[in-house]
């Protein structure tokens, strides 16, 4: 919602990682940089599915971290924000992995939106040089597995400077 986006756009250190990473969209996907409510996004989208109520996408946002904020604490606060904004938010699973040679955390969650129904998200976060990189895949609830290989390709191409 616009209210959520506006609050996030005012967060200290938002967009601090602009120009500090490279990423490549999978073949056939479009990639563009855009600004929504003061937040700078890199969006990647597959071709639109005919008749689908939602456009699957991957977005990347960056934020400068306060001194001492760990990856664990960042993920906890992200989860808390999702719980606050979406009354039916549910964490499905999570874990650790490596992205671009850096330890990262990931979680899969679910929530609903009036316009599109139930959505699944997979958020992967890594921190390099005190900048958090949040890479998020959002799909219709039954399409997360369908787009997981594309997310892996995106994460495999991601490099933070």
């Amino acid at each position: 919602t616009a209210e959520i986006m506006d609050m996030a756009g005012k967060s200290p250190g938002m967009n601090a990682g602009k120009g500090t990473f490279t990423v490549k969209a999978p073949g056939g996907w479009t990639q563009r940089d855009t600004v929504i409510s003061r937040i700078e996004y890199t969006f990647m989208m597959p071709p639109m599915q005919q008749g689908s109520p939602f456009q699957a996408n991957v977005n990347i946002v960056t934020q400068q971290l306060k001194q001492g904020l760990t990856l664990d604490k960042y993920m906890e606060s992200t989860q808390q924000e999702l719980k606050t904004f979406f009354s039916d938010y549910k964490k499905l699973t999570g874990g650790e992995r490596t992205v671009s040679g850096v330890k990262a955390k990931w979680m899969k969650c679910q929530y609903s939106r009036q316009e599109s129904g139930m959505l699944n998200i997979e958020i992967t976060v890594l921190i390099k040089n005190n900048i958090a990189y949040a890479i998020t895949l959002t799909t219709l609830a039954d399409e997360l597995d369908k787009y997981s290989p594309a997310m892996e390709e995106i994460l495999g191409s991601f490099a933070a400077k």
Side-chain angles (χ1 to χ4, degrees):
T1 65
E3 181 184 341
I4 296 167
M5 301 298 291
D6 195 50
M7 285 170 51
K10 293 176 183 169
S11 294
M14 242 11 245
N15 308 320
K18 182 183 181 195
T20 64
F21 69 91
T22 57
V23 67
K24 189 175 179 291
W29 285 45
T30 56
Q31 179 172 337
R32 66 185 172 95
D33 295 327
T34 190
V35 178
I36 303 169
S37 299
R38 293 190 287 272
I39 302 173
E40 296 176 12
Y41 291 88
T42 294
F43 268 106
M44 289 165 270
M45 289 168 277
M48 186 66 180
Q49 299 295 309
Q50 196 72 37
S52 177
F54 182 78
Q55 172 70 55
N57 69 83
V58 173
N59 74 69
I60 302 172
V61 296
T62 64
Q63 185 173 10
Q64 180 82 43
L65 297 183
K66 292 183 187 124
Q67 209 54 47
L69 189 63
T70 64
L71 182 56
D72 288 340
K73 286 182 182 164
Y74 187 88
M75 285 301 271
E76 281 172 30
S77 72
T78 298
Q79 193 170 326
Q80 209 49 54
E81 284 176 22
L82 290 167
K83 278 183 193 170
T84 302
F85 297 137
F86 304 107
S87 59
D88 60 350
Y89 162 85
K90 185 170 80 181
K91 181 178 175 182
L92 303 173
T93 183
E96 289 186 8
R97 64 173 301 155
T98 301
V99 175
S100 185
V102 179
K103 179 182 151 186
K105 286 205 165 252
W106 62 271
M107 65 179 171
K108 292 181 182 180
C109 319
Q110 195 172 62
Y111 64 92
S112 67
R113 286 189 40 200
Q114 197 171 348
E115 316 82 54
S116 53
M118 196 59 78
L119 297 177
N120 276 2
I121 57 173
E122 179 181 331
I123 305 170
T124 302
V125 177
L126 63 121
I127 296 172
K128 188 166 183 184
N129 298 324
N130 213 42
I131 294 173
Y133 298 88
I135 305 161
T136 305
L137 167 64
T138 307
T139 71
L140 288 171
D142 60 352
E143 292 187 338
L144 193 61
D145 290 343
K146 174 181 174 180
Y147 290 105
S148 289
M151 178 69 158
E152 285 305 312
E153 192 177 328
I154 288 165
L155 292 172
S157 76
F158 183 89
K161 296 174 186 164

